[in-house]
Amino acid sequence: MEEELDKAVFTYLKKRGFTQTELVFQQEKQNKNNKSDTDGSDTDVTKQILTFSQSENIPALYQDGYSKLRSWTYSSLDLYKHELIRVLYPVFIHCFMDLIAKGHLQEAREFFSSFREDHEMMHSRDLTKLEGVLSPSHLEEMEFAHSLRQSKVNIKICQYSYELLLQYLHKTQSITMLGIINEHIDFQVSPGQPSSISDDAEAFSLVGSGQDAANLINQKEIHWGLLEDSLEDRLDKSGGLLSDSEKTEGDAKEVDLDENKKKSLEGGKQGGPLKKLKKDKVGGGPGKGARGDGDKAASAPRVKPELALPTVPTDVENSILEDLRNRVQLSNSTLPSVCFYTFINTHNGLNCSSISHDGSLVAGGFSDSSLKVWDVAKLGRMSSSIIQGENDAAPSENTLGSNVGKRAYTLYQGHSGPVYSASFSPFGDYLLSSSADSTIRLWSTKFNANVVVYKGHNYPVWDVQFSPVGHYFASASHDRTARVWSMDRVQPLRILAGHLSDVDCVQWHVNCNYIVTGSSDKTIRMWDVYTGNCVRIFIGHRCSILSLAMSPDGRYVASGDEDGTIMMWDVSNGRCITPLVGHTSCVWSLAFSCEGSLLASGSADSTVKLWDVNASAKPPKSEDTKSGSINRLRSLKTLPTKSTPVYSLRFSRRNLLFASGSLSTNV
């Protein structure tokens, strides 16, 4: 028995490449010649080790062990079942990959087909990737599979659920399952009752980059406040001066107040209206110029810029200040007005849309490599019959210049592949577009001409975004990098590499010192623009990240993924504050209101949802968590469209919400 045990251990150590351990074991074996007695418990351990050694050559044990674990999990008490079910998916994929690694290809395919349906709803993209693993060499060549085998899965579970699982594994002597769980799962055990089902999104994470490395990076210091001497900063210091029109309104109110005062002195009991007027005057109401407690940007710290910022023309600055003074203060009781632009007759050719900051221009990027820009003011003056009856394919159309003939838009042509993203500059004078041809183009909306072509990416560019101050912009590509550019240079200023898969979306921090990227590797990274280093890694999504938004105070990042989950992250510590669950399909666009009290989300499920950021940023009460009502408290309103998936969202500087999408005929 002892010789067989030694042989099994030697075989295992050699197979795993533990050379030093093998040498130490040989020395211990030589020194142990004078020891011969072993007790009954040692014999049991010996049998278990031998069983584990033999099980490596018996594929049926994987099928049987997983099947029994699955049956036990689904038959557990409902209180603990949803926590125990989290264990099944990582065990499933590692059983499959272990069978492939040992060369049992046919058994691995049968195992995969038998239990795939259990995980199809939550992990369909992962399963599609793993389906392509057909030989042991694929495990090393495919980066996704390789990263899974090299890292652990984090699973949050309560103490009692954890003890139930261990008791089952030891009672049934499931050595194969126990080995996989021990090697590939890192349990984060918490005292008390199990977490609610609504918290599943943050309770499970497949770590591609390593949780330890992420925790180390997230300890770096960052400065998340607003820029010093920004327009918002100047407005705060000046006390939010009223515009001329508001002054006129204020003078009129003063006259009314004086008249009411006289009447109250004469009429005795007519003081009631006077008190009401005083209250209205002091309170200010939710209208223009109000800057209540919900304005987080006003209390945010101020930081110095790390980039050389462009100067803002005086007329543009005055226009922006006028908008800021007339901003409507939004809250959970004062929701925004929404203006929705619907593209019709696109024949599934629209890939993206973008709206300028004042809502006056709307751009659409199409699969035929064209970019079209509509001037809403001119559009309103044209008859609807001309707009809807136009023929886009007319060969005599000029590609650039002002609106020609009956055309309702300006056509920009230059890309040689589908246009995947468009972004207006803060002042609306420039437009960026990115394409499958791996280039980014800068267009002048004033002269309707292509100004610059930026080449640097090697593969399709999925997203491009102007910085909040203009001049600088960032791009995200299939080549797994994000790049930072300036308008006056054709080469990138920074190349940000670190994601394990496509970088699908990019967003600037409000102080322009950082950018945030979302990737198909299910992680979000925050980068220091000046150094090019990664300063935050946000881990928790189960699917590709498709949209990002930064709060006006720079404290929070919101991210939307492919399965409809939205997560809010605290930039200061890299932790998820809360998942926002409600959409039933991809979240394609996110936008914070200007004072940061509301978050708007647009989805492929043809709805716009408004979320209460203040409620989301607070820790949930225990009774709300138990009842599962926390998401209902955070969701303020759902605005459905007839059949229009929402492509883009933008809050204007006055807090009007603009949205756009393409009417879908697939209903």
Side-chain angles (χ1 to χ4, degrees):
M1 177 72 75
E2 189 174 354
E3 290 179 1
E4 292 181 12
L5 174 62
D6 291 343
K7 186 177 180 182
V9 173
F10 274 125
T11 304
Y12 179 79
L13 294 175
K14 190 172 183 180
K15 184 174 183 180
R16 296 291 181 182
F18 300 142
T19 311
Q20 284 189 321
T21 310
E22 186 180 351
L23 293 174
V24 172
F25 185 74
Q26 284 179 343
Q27 291 175 359
E28 288 183 355
K29 184 183 176 185
Q30 292 173 359
N31 296 333
K32 206 176 74 170
N33 290 333
N34 55 349
K35 296 180 181 179
S36 58
D37 296 333
T38 57
D39 56 14
S41 61
D42 290 338
T43 305
D44 292 339
V45 173
T46 300
K47 289 180 179 178
Q48 288 189 358
I49 293 175
L50 283 173
T51 304
F52 180 69
S53 174
Q54 293 167 1
S55 70
E56 290 193 337
N57 300 317
I58 305 177
L61 286 181
Y62 283 92
Q63 179 100 8
D64 185 57
Y66 179 80
S67 180
K68 288 180 179 178
L69 176 64
R70 176 177 175 273
S71 300
W72 173 80
T73 301
Y74 280 106
S75 62
S76 300
L77 291 174
D78 291 341
L79 183 62
Y80 307 103
K81 184 191 295 184
H82 71 275
E83 283 198 335
L84 295 171
I85 285 177
R86 296 170 187 164
V87 179
L88 291 181
Y89 178 65
V91 172
F92 166 73
I93 59 175
H94 284 290
C95 282
F96 169 70
M97 289 191 291
D98 279 1
L99 287 171
I100 291 288
K102 292 176 173 60
H104 303 291
L105 305 183
Q106 183 61 36
E107 292 85 348
R109 304 312 306 171
E110 292 174 0
F111 175 84
F112 189 82
S113 301
S114 299
F115 302 107
R116 172 177 182 163
E117 190 175 345
D118 294 345
H119 313 287
E120 191 71 47
M121 181 179 294
M122 299 301 298
H123 306 283
S124 58
R125 282 181 64 92
D126 289 349
L127 296 177
T128 303
K129 292 178 183 177
L130 290 174
E131 197 174 21
V133 178
L134 303 174
S135 68
S137 62
H138 289 174
L139 294 174
E140 296 298 324
E141 294 169 359
M142 183 184 292
E143 192 155 0
F144 174 69
H146 180 70
S147 64
L148 287 180
R149 288 176 65 81
Q150 294 298 317
S151 57
K152 286 192 172 185
V153 177
N154 289 330
I155 294 181
K156 292 182 181 179
I157 194 170
C158 77
Q159 183 70 39
Y160 193 71
S161 298
Y162 181 66
E163 291 175 356
L164 281 176
L165 179 62
L166 289 183
Q167 187 179 10
Y168 164 78
L169 293 172
H170 287 294
K171 184 178 179 180
T172 58
Q173 294 188 352
S174 303
I175 306 299
T176 309
M177 298 298 103
L178 183 60
I180 289 175
I181 290 173
N182 183 59
E183 188 175 355
H184 297 291
I185 297 180
D186 184 14
F187 288 103
Q188 297 178 6
V189 183
S190 59
Q193 292 295 313
S195 58
S196 68
I197 297 178
S198 63
D199 292 333
D200 273 7
E202 59 178 344
F204 175 97
S205 58
L206 279 173
V207 185
S209 57
Q211 185 67 50
D212 294 337
N215 291 338
L216 191 63
I217 289 175
N218 290 347
Q219 293 174 8
K220 294 181 179 179
E221 183 183 4
I222 64 169
H223 305 285
W224 53 266
L226 298 179
L227 283 176
E228 288 182 352
D229 201 35
S230 63
L231 292 179
E232 291 85 353
D233 196 20
R234 271 182 260 171
L235 190 68
D236 288 332
K237 289 177 181 177
S238 65
L241 298 176
L242 296 175
S243 61
D244 294 336
S245 60
E246 287 176 290
K247 287 179 181 177
T248 306
E249 292 174 8
D251 293 338
K253 287 181 180 178
E254 288 290 347
V255 172
D256 293 341
L257 184 61
D258 291 338
E259 290 178 358
N260 277 289
K261 195 180 257 186
K262 290 177 183 177
K263 289 180 181 178
S264 66
L265 290 173
E266 294 170 0
K269 291 185 179 180
Q270 294 180 357
L274 174 64
K275 290 180 181 177
K276 186 174 187 298
L277 279 170
K278 281 184 177 178
K279 186 177 179 182
D280 290 346
K281 187 168 181 63
V282 173
K288 296 179 180 179
R291 299 181 70 81
D293 296 334
D295 196 343
K296 297 181 179 180
S299 59
R302 296 319 194 242
V303 299
K304 294 182 179 179
E306 294 180 350
L307 298 174
L309 301 182
T311 56
V312 182
T314 306
D315 56 336
V316 174
E317 182 177 318
N318 292 335
S319 174
I320 294 174
L321 287 172
E322 180 73 13
D323 287 339
L324 295 178
R325 291 190 192 102
N326 288 278
R327 176 186 296 168
V328 176
Q329 187 77 15
L330 301 179
S331 66
N332 54 8
S333 59
T334 310
L335 300 181
S337 299
V338 185
C339 176
F340 201 106
Y341 298 124
T342 304
F343 292 81
I344 60 174
N345 301 327
T346 60
H347 308 294
N348 296 323
L350 183 69
N351 293 330
C352 65
S353 66
S354 180
I355 305 168
S356 62
H357 284 69
D358 59 359
S360 62
L361 298 175
V362 181
F366 291 84
S367 297
D368 63 0
S369 74
S370 66
L371 181 68
K372 299 175 183 178
V373 178
W374 283 261
D375 187 323
V376 177
K378 294 178 181 178
L379 197 64
R381 293 195 292 265
M382 300 181 67
S383 66
S384 59
S385 60
I386 293 176
I387 297 170
Q388 296 181 17
E390 66 181 316
N391 181 5
D392 291 348
S396 60
E397 285 184 345
N398 294 325
T399 58
L400 295 176
S402 59
N403 290 333
V404 179
K406 297 180 179 180
R407 194 195 309 154
Y409 56 84
T410 302
L411 179 63
Y412 295 159
Q413 284 188 327
H415 284 293
S416 58
V419 178
Y420 290 127
S421 179
S423 175
F424 282 99
S425 65
F427 315 130
D429 48 351
Y430 291 102
L431 174 65
L432 284 168
S433 61
S434 66
S435 168
D437 63 12
S438 74
T439 68
I440 303 162
R441 287 180 179 263
L442 179 70
W443 310 84
S444 169
T445 56
K446 183 178 180 181
F447 300 106
N448 297 325
N450 185 203
V451 182
V452 189
V453 180
Y454 301 95
K455 299 179 180 179
H457 286 290
N458 303 318
Y459 291 95
V461 184
W462 302 129
D463 194 18
V464 63
Q465 291 292 329
F466 258 114
S467 74
V469 297
H471 187 68
Y472 300 100
F473 60 93
S475 58
S477 171
H478 178 58
D479 62 14
R480 305 180 186 178
T481 68
R483 304 186 185 216
V484 180
W485 312 71
S486 64
M487 289 171 56
D488 57 351
R489 298 188 182 184
V490 294
Q491 296 298 325
L493 304 178
R494 295 286 183 273
I495 298 177
L496 310 175
H499 281 294
L500 301 176
S501 188
D502 294 36
V503 183
D504 296 313
C505 50
V506 63
Q507 190 61 255
W508 283 84
H509 193 276
V510 289
N511 62 26
C512 300
N513 292 337
Y514 306 96
I515 68 166
V516 184
T517 55
S519 170
S520 293
D521 65 10
K522 305 175 191 174
T523 67
I524 301 151
R525 288 175 178 253
M526 189 171 186
W527 310 82
D528 187 318
V529 174
Y530 185 72
T531 64
N533 295 330
C534 179
V535 294
R536 287 290 181 272
I537 300 180
F538 306 103
I539 297 174
H541 279 283
R542 297 183 180 180
C543 296
S544 302
I545 289 89
L546 301 179
S547 55
L548 294 166
M550 182 67 64
S551 65
D553 62 351
R555 178 70 183 270
Y556 303 114
V557 175
S559 55
D561 67 19
E562 200 171 38
D563 69 357
T565 301
I566 302 167
M567 302 185 90
M568 274 186 58
W569 309 87
D570 190 332
V571 166
S572 62
N573 55 30
R575 294 177 182 172
C576 176
I577 302 170
T578 178
L580 303 174
V581 181
H583 285 294
T584 57
S585 189
C586 310
V587 178
W588 280 337
S589 185
L590 293 167
F592 279 94
S593 60
C594 294
E595 75 293 320
S597 61
L598 300 181
L599 174 69
S601 59
S603 170
D605 63 11
S606 301
T607 64
V608 175
K609 287 183 179 289
L610 298 173
W611 307 86
D612 188 344
V613 174
N614 295 328
S616 302
K618 295 176 183 176
K621 297 179 181 179
S622 57
E623 56 267 25
D624 293 333
T625 304
K626 289 178 182 177
S627 64
S629 65
I630 192 68
N631 279 308
R632 290 197 296 274
L633 295 175
R634 293 165 181 163
S635 179
L636 297 174
K637 194 173 185 64
T638 298
L639 305 169
T641 64
K642 183 177 180 181
S643 180
T644 305
V646 184
Y647 282 38
S648 64
L649 295 170
R650 181 184 293 282
F651 276 96
S652 72
R653 295 187 180 97
R654 299 194 182 198
N655 262 339
L656 172 65
L657 178 58
F658 294 105
S660 65
S662 175
L663 183 65
S664 174
T665 56
N666 300 325
V667 290

